[in-house]
Amino acid sequence: MKLNKKHLPFYAAAVQTIQYMVAGYLFLGWMGLVSVGTMGALVSLSMAYASSQVSGEMAKSRRLQSYLALIGLMILSPVIVGTATFYHLTI
């Protein structure tokens, strides 16, 4: 099976959605699994879809904004998942 680079954002969105579902379940139980998982899917899949629709010219002109958004997501996602996991741990 050959890896298609155009599908990578959707693979990443699926993995991030699963992380949000686990975090929601640990923090709020079954209701969190559904609500936080839905929120994670909405954000992740909309970002993946938007990134697949950007033309080459626009990508070059907004490269800095793209990198800043990527850094923000890379910081924010582990904070949310890590916080939910931390609250779940018994001391």
Side-chain angles (χ1 to χ4, degrees):
M1 183 172 130
K2 188 174 180 181
L3 182 64
N4 188 346
K5 291 182 182 179
K6 290 185 177 183
H7 295 151
L8 282 177
F10 295 100
Y11 297 147
V15 169
Q16 189 170 12
T17 300
I18 292 169
Q19 288 178 337
Y20 275 106
M21 289 173 70
V22 170
Y25 177 74
L26 292 177
F27 192 57
L28 299 170
W30 289 104
M31 182 62 93
L33 182 128
V34 173
S35 62
V36 178
T38 303
M39 183 262 317
L42 178 65
V43 171
S44 300
L45 291 174
S46 62
M47 288 291 291
Y49 177 75
S51 68
S52 69
Q53 299 299 313
V54 174
S55 67
E57 294 174 9
M58 186 184 293
K60 289 179 184 177
S61 67
R62 296 188 181 181
R63 185 168 288 167
L64 178 62
Q65 293 173 347
S66 298
Y67 283 130
L68 291 176
L70 176 65
I71 290 169
L73 282 174
M74 290 175 66
I75 291 171
L76 190 60
S77 182
V79 167
I80 292 172
V81 173
T83 302
T85 306
F86 173 77
Y87 281 134
H88 181 69
L89 295 175
T90 55
I91 299 175

